[in-house]
Short mmCIF file of all heavy atoms in Angstrom, two decimals:
data_model
loop_
_atom_site.label_atom_id
_atom_site.label_comp_id
_atom_site.label_asym_id
_atom_site.label_seq_id
_atom_site.Cartn_x
_atom_site.Cartn_y
_atom_site.Cartn_z
N SER X 308 130.46 144.59 164.91
CA SER X 308 129.40 145.23 165.70
C SER X 308 129.84 145.47 167.16
O SER X 308 129.28 144.85 168.05
CB SER X 308 128.17 144.32 165.64
OG SER X 308 127.10 144.92 166.33
N HIS X 309 130.85 146.32 167.34
CA HIS X 309 131.41 146.59 168.68
C HIS X 309 131.68 145.31 169.43
O HIS X 309 131.24 145.12 170.55
CB HIS X 309 130.33 147.46 169.50
CG HIS X 309 130.99 148.38 170.50
ND1 HIS X 309 130.65 149.68 170.68
CD2 HIS X 309 131.97 148.11 171.38
CE1 HIS X 309 131.36 150.20 171.67
NE2 HIS X 309 132.19 149.29 172.08
N GLN X 310 132.44 144.46 168.73
CA GLN X 310 132.72 143.12 169.33
C GLN X 310 134.19 142.98 169.75
O GLN X 310 134.62 141.88 170.23
CB GLN X 310 132.41 142.05 168.29
CG GLN X 310 133.43 141.89 167.18
CD GLN X 310 133.23 140.67 166.33
OE1 GLN X 310 132.26 140.60 165.54
NE2 GLN X 310 134.10 139.69 166.39
N ALA X 311 134.97 144.11 169.70
CA ALA X 311 136.39 143.94 170.01
C ALA X 311 136.66 143.40 171.38
O ALA X 311 137.65 142.68 171.66
CB ALA X 311 137.09 145.30 169.82
N PHE X 312 135.71 143.65 172.32
CA PHE X 312 135.96 143.21 173.69
C PHE X 312 135.57 141.75 173.91
O PHE X 312 135.88 141.16 174.95
CB PHE X 312 135.07 144.07 174.69
CG PHE X 312 133.63 143.68 174.57
CD1 PHE X 312 133.02 142.82 175.51
CD2 PHE X 312 132.83 144.12 173.53
CE1 PHE X 312 131.66 142.46 175.43
CE2 PHE X 312 131.50 143.81 173.41
CZ PHE X 312 130.91 142.93 174.39
N LEU X 313 134.97 141.13 172.90
CA LEU X 313 134.25 139.90 173.16
C LEU X 313 135.14 138.62 173.14
O LEU X 313 135.19 137.87 172.21
CB LEU X 313 133.15 139.72 172.05
CG LEU X 313 131.98 138.80 172.35
CD1 LEU X 313 131.16 139.23 173.54
CD2 LEU X 313 131.10 138.64 171.16
N THR X 314 135.83 138.48 174.27
CA THR X 314 136.64 137.25 174.48
C THR X 314 136.18 136.67 175.88
O THR X 314 135.62 137.40 176.70
CB THR X 314 138.16 137.49 174.59
OG1 THR X 314 138.45 138.35 175.69
CG2 THR X 314 138.69 138.15 173.26
N ASP X 315 136.47 135.38 176.01
CA ASP X 315 136.11 134.76 177.33
C ASP X 315 136.72 135.50 178.52
O ASP X 315 136.05 135.76 179.50
CB ASP X 315 136.67 133.34 177.34
CG ASP X 315 135.87 132.37 176.50
OD1 ASP X 315 134.63 132.56 176.39
OD2 ASP X 315 136.47 131.40 176.00
N GLU X 316 138.02 135.85 178.30
CA GLU X 316 138.74 136.50 179.44
C GLU X 316 138.11 137.83 179.78
O GLU X 316 137.91 138.20 180.93
CB GLU X 316 140.23 136.69 179.03
CG GLU X 316 141.00 135.40 178.95
CD GLU X 316 140.78 134.64 177.62
OE1 GLU X 316 140.00 135.10 176.78
OE2 GLU X 316 141.43 133.57 177.45
N ALA X 317 137.77 138.64 178.74
CA ALA X 317 137.17 139.95 178.97
C ALA X 317 135.81 139.81 179.64
O ALA X 317 135.53 140.49 180.58
CB ALA X 317 137.05 140.73 177.67
N LEU X 318 135.01 138.86 179.22
CA LEU X 318 133.68 138.69 179.77
C LEU X 318 133.74 138.30 181.22
O LEU X 318 132.99 138.76 182.09
CB LEU X 318 132.87 137.68 179.00
CG LEU X 318 132.38 138.11 177.59
CD1 LEU X 318 131.76 136.97 176.83
CD2 LEU X 318 131.41 139.28 177.62
N GLN X 319 134.73 137.42 181.55
CA GLN X 319 134.90 136.98 182.95
C GLN X 319 135.36 138.21 183.79
O GLN X 319 134.85 138.40 184.88
CB GLN X 319 135.95 135.87 182.98
CG GLN X 319 136.16 135.36 184.40
CD GLN X 319 137.07 134.13 184.48
OE1 GLN X 319 137.55 133.67 183.46
NE2 GLN X 319 137.32 133.68 185.67
N ASN X 320 136.32 139.01 183.29
CA ASN X 320 136.82 140.14 184.05
C ASN X 320 135.66 141.19 184.27
O ASN X 320 135.50 141.75 185.31
CB ASN X 320 137.99 140.83 183.31
CG ASN X 320 139.21 140.06 183.49
OD1 ASN X 320 139.39 139.30 184.44
ND2 ASN X 320 140.16 140.18 182.50
N ILE X 321 134.82 141.39 183.21
CA ILE X 321 133.76 142.33 183.31
C ILE X 321 132.80 141.93 184.44
O ILE X 321 132.44 142.73 185.31
CB ILE X 321 132.98 142.48 181.98
CG1 ILE X 321 133.79 143.24 180.94
CG2 ILE X 321 131.63 143.16 182.17
CD1 ILE X 321 133.25 143.14 179.51
N ALA X 322 132.46 140.66 184.47
CA ALA X 322 131.54 140.17 185.50
C ALA X 322 132.19 140.27 186.86
O ALA X 322 131.54 140.75 187.84
CB ALA X 322 131.12 138.73 185.16
N ALA X 323 133.41 139.82 186.99
CA ALA X 323 134.11 139.84 188.33
C ALA X 323 134.22 141.27 188.86
O ALA X 323 133.90 141.51 190.03
CB ALA X 323 135.45 139.17 188.20
#
Side-chain angles (χ1 to χ4, degrees):
S308 183
H309 209 135
Q310 75 172 71
F312 74 99
L313 200 63
T314 64
D315 284 331
E316 291 79 0
L318 289 172
Q319 182 175 357
N320 285 334
I321 287 170

